[in-house]
Amino acid sequence: MKKIVDYRKLLGVTEAADLQELKTVYRGMMKTWHPDKYQDESRVEAEEKSKTIIEAYHFLVSIAPETRAQSLNEYTATTTNAAIADFTFEKQVLKVVFTDGNTYEYFDVPRAVYVKLVNADSPGRFARRHIYNEYVYRSVNRLVATS
């Protein structure tokens, strides 16, 4: 997905970057771009840049393998036991709301897969077979709870 690639490029990290590397890069960039270091017009630019850096860091942490591994039991329980309450699709991001209250976003989902999900006799079964373990995902609930 373009968003993932852009954020990795902004922070200068690879796909293999772990949480410690992300944190180190993030802290270094924030030292450089912290708005308090600037005056006048350049302060506005620094504020925008720092907001973008913060957003990129939090996004990449939320999809990092270590983060997903920490919440794997909860994710597995949700995708196995809870039914799909609702789902939306926008710009190759599939957002699935489950009946247990959890919400997950799946990235780089092709439109054709979304169409098949919509037309499936059992969207839950289709998603278990073709979506849940195939695409990069993140929990929307954890984002709200940690913000």
Side-chain angles (χ1 to χ4, degrees):
M1 169 176 198
K2 185 172 176 9
K3 185 175 186 178
I4 296 171
V5 172
D6 288 347
Y7 283 160
R8 284 186 179 137
K9 188 176 181 180
L10 172 69
L11 295 182
V13 296
T14 65
E15 193 172 327
D18 63 357
L19 290 177
Q20 186 59 44
E21 182 181 350
L22 285 171
K23 187 176 186 179
T24 303
V25 169
Y26 165 72
R27 286 184 172 177
M29 290 185 78
M30 286 307 295
K31 284 179 185 176
T32 303
W33 287 100
H34 198 283
D36 290 346
K37 292 177 68 174
Y38 296 91
Q39 301 296 323
D40 305 323
E41 296 85 32
S42 56
R43 183 181 180 101
V44 174
E45 178 188 351
E47 285 176 356
E48 291 302 314
K49 183 77 170 181
S50 66
K51 285 178 186 178
T52 305
I53 293 168
I54 292 168
E55 183 181 331
Y57 171 71
H58 285 291
F59 182 84
L60 291 176
V61 165
S62 73
I63 65 168
E66 294 104 318
T67 305
R68 292 194 326 229
Q70 290 172 355
S71 62
L72 184 61
N73 290 338
E74 179 185 351
Y75 177 72
T76 303
T78 295
T79 58
T80 304
N81 301 324
I84 295 175
D86 192 20
F87 55 88
T88 57
F89 183 77
E90 185 177 334
K91 297 180 183 174
Q92 289 190 308
V93 177
L94 176 65
K95 187 174 182 179
V96 180
V97 180
F98 292 92
T99 54
D100 68 353
N102 287 316
T103 304
Y104 290 92
E105 290 179 327
Y106 297 87
F107 301 97
D108 287 338
V109 177
R111 183 157 186 76
V113 172
Y114 170 70
V115 170
K116 288 179 182 178
L117 174 67
V118 170
N119 294 323
D121 291 335
S122 172
R125 183 174 54 210
F126 179 85
R128 278 191 291 281
R129 291 181 179 170
H130 302 287
I131 296 173
Y132 296 156
N133 297 316
E134 300 296 321
Y135 299 99
V136 174
Y137 66 88
R138 72 176 182 167
S139 170
V140 174
N141 301 57
R142 288 193 184 275
L143 297 176
V144 172
T146 58
S147 293

